[in-house]
């Protein structure tokens, strides 16, 4: 199933994905077909696939140095990990997900998109993940105060880039005590991609 790129988003998609845009389009098709059939994404999301999901995932791209190993924890249907892998073939990405159905979907996507050289699928929860990533990403995983607990063992070694919505500052305020106790810093970032702000990122790290 094709998921057309809205005309007003086409220039941005061209800039973000370049000659790998056909791969991004193929992934959008997998989300709209198997992703919906398997219950990983709602049927109403088909018309919002590009702006709300695929391009929104790219808001962390400019925050990740070249050549990094990235763990996308709670990857779900592969957001943001798979769009990142398509746009940034210089990265090595682990898609970390505990649920079997989602792991099967992620494995299928990696194989069908031919991403095996740079992407692997790891069946584990956030608490169980013990990899060696230098950057951790997540999207719609948990409020900041819960992320601090879930990612405590990870953030000691790697900053966490959590894609959030408009309540990012409120979540940080609600997690104030946990941040102090864990000696963590939380920063709200709204990086531009192609001259546009595609989303809000909360950066959790040991250093300000």
């Amino acid at each position: 199933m094709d998921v057309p790129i809205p005309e007003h988003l086409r220039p941005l998609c061209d800039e973000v994905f370049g000659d790998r845009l056909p791969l991004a389009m193929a992934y959008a098709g997998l989300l709209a077909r198997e992703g919906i059939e398997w219950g990983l994404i709602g049927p109403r999301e088909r018309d919002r696939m590009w702006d709300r999901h695929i391009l929104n995932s790219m808001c962390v791209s400019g925050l990740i140095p070249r050549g990094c190993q990235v763990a996308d924890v709670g990857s779900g249907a592969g957001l943001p990990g798979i769009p990142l892998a398509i746009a940034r073939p210089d990265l090595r990405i682990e898609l970390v997900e505990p649920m079997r159905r989602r792991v099967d979907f992620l494995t299928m996507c990696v194989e069908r998109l031919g991403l095996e050289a740079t992407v692997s699928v790891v069946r584990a929860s956030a608490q169980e993940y013990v990899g060696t990533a230098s950057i951790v990403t997540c999207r719609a995983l948990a409020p900041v105060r819960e992320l601090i607990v879930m990612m405590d063992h990870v953030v000691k070694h790697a900053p966490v880039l959590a894609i959030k919505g408009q309540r990012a500052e409120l979540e940080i305020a609600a997690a104030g005590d946990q941040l102090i106790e864990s000696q963590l810093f939380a920063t709200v970032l709204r990086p531009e991609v192609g001259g546009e702000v595609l989303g809000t990122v909360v950066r959790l790290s040991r250093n300000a």
Side-chain angles (χ1 to χ4, degrees):
M1 177 182 296
D2 291 334
V3 183
I5 301 172
E7 199 61 36
H8 71 285
L9 294 177
R10 184 70 192 222
L12 183 57
C13 288
D14 284 335
E15 180 168 348
V16 169
F17 294 106
D19 61 3
R20 289 166 71 87
L21 182 57
L23 275 182
M25 295 176 71
Y27 175 57
L30 289 171
L31 286 176
R33 187 172 54 250
E34 285 89 346
I36 291 174
E37 290 173 1
W38 296 13
L40 304 186
I41 193 166
R44 294 183 179 179
E45 299 305 303
R46 182 182 287 112
D47 294 336
R48 304 185 283 192
M49 202 72 75
W50 285 100
D51 56 347
R52 186 171 184 176
H53 297 290
I54 295 175
L55 285 173
N56 175 249
S57 293
M58 296 307 300
C59 67
V60 296
S61 180
L63 304 175
I64 302 175
R66 185 169 182 79
C68 272
Q69 182 171 336
V70 178
D72 182 33
V73 174
S75 192
L79 301 161
I82 291 179
L84 271 176
I86 292 171
R88 297 279 309 273
D90 61 290
L91 303 177
R92 297 295 178 267
I93 298 178
E94 294 176 308
L95 306 176
V96 183
E97 171 57 49
M99 293 183 60
R100 169 53 64 185
R101 178 179 51 179
R102 295 175 180 176
V103 166
D104 290 345
F105 177 79
L106 293 172
T107 301
M108 177 192 68
C109 287
V110 170
E111 292 175 351
R112 290 197 186 177
L113 298 173
L115 299 175
E116 297 97 327
T118 60
V119 182
S120 58
V121 180
V122 178
R123 188 177 183 185
S125 67
Q127 295 90 333
E128 294 167 338
Y129 175 70
V130 291
T132 57
S134 52
I135 296 281
V136 174
T137 62
C138 61
R139 181 178 184 265
L141 182 59
V144 169
R145 61 188 303 165
E146 294 178 26
L147 281 178
I148 292 169
V149 176
M150 295 167 65
M151 302 286 196
D152 182 65
H153 66 297
V154 174
V155 76
K156 293 175 182 177
H157 310 289
V160 174
L161 302 176
I163 298 177
K164 290 289 179 181
Q166 297 179 353
R167 294 177 55 85
E169 285 89 353
L170 294 177
E171 287 191 24
I172 290 175
D177 291 342
Q178 287 97 329
L179 287 166
I180 293 171
E181 183 177 343
S182 300
Q183 297 182 316
L184 293 177
F185 294 90
T187 308
V188 176
L189 304 169
R190 294 184 174 86
E192 290 189 357
V193 179
E196 295 191 30
V197 175
L198 298 180
T200 300
V201 179
V202 171
R203 183 180 188 273
L204 288 174
S205 65
R206 290 292 180 193
N207 302 307

